[in-house]
Structure formats: structure tokens, C-alpha cells
Amino acid sequence: MNDETLQFILTTLMELATLACAYLGLRLFKKNWKLRMALIVVPLLVNAVLYAIYRTTAFFYLGVILLLCIPFVWPRKSA
């Protein structure tokens, strides 16, 4: 498998994982906030590593999407 094929597969997988984890992290209302935060942060870190390796903007923008989700998952004092 050459580098372009591997990059395409990783990009597709991370796009699907980012969308699924962002949805689940934002929609798990009554669950543990640590689980919700892990659903957002783990793909964020993977996107950051893949961006550092491949230097393609797709991983950067996927990371930005997940960064925008963090304030909605962060626990409040009243919770």
C-alpha cells in the first residue's frame, strides 16, 4: 500500500470518527462527563498527530471541529 492510499484511508476514517465522536460527545447528556470529554479529546489528539505527519489541512479542520465541541462538553459548577 503506497503513501497516498494510506493517507486517503486515514483521512476517511478520521472524518467518520470525528463526526461520530462529536455527535456522541455532545448528545450523551446524562452520562459521565469524563467519558464525553474522552470522546472529544482522543480523536482530537489523533488528528493533531496525523496533521503533524502528513501536513494536510483535512486533519487540521477536523481538529478545529472537535475544539469547538469542547466548551459544550466541559462540566459546569452547577452540574
Side-chain angles (χ1 to χ4, degrees), residues 7-33:
Q7 183 178 351
F8 174 75
I9 292 171
L10 287 173
T11 303
T12 304
L13 286 176
M14 286 311 299
E15 285 173 355
L16 295 173
T18 297
L19 292 175
C21 289
Y23 178 77
L24 289 175
L26 293 173
R27 291 293 177 183
L28 292 174
F29 291 121
K30 306 249 181 194
K31 300 291 180 182
N32 189 359
W33 70 269

Side-chain angles (χ1 to χ4, degrees), residues 25-26 28-29 32-40 72-73:
L26 293 173
L28 292 174
F29 291 121
N32 189 359
W33 70 269
K34 292 178 185 178
L35 172 67
R36 294 173 62 201
M37 190 64 74
L39 279 172
I40 301 294
F72 299 102
V73 177

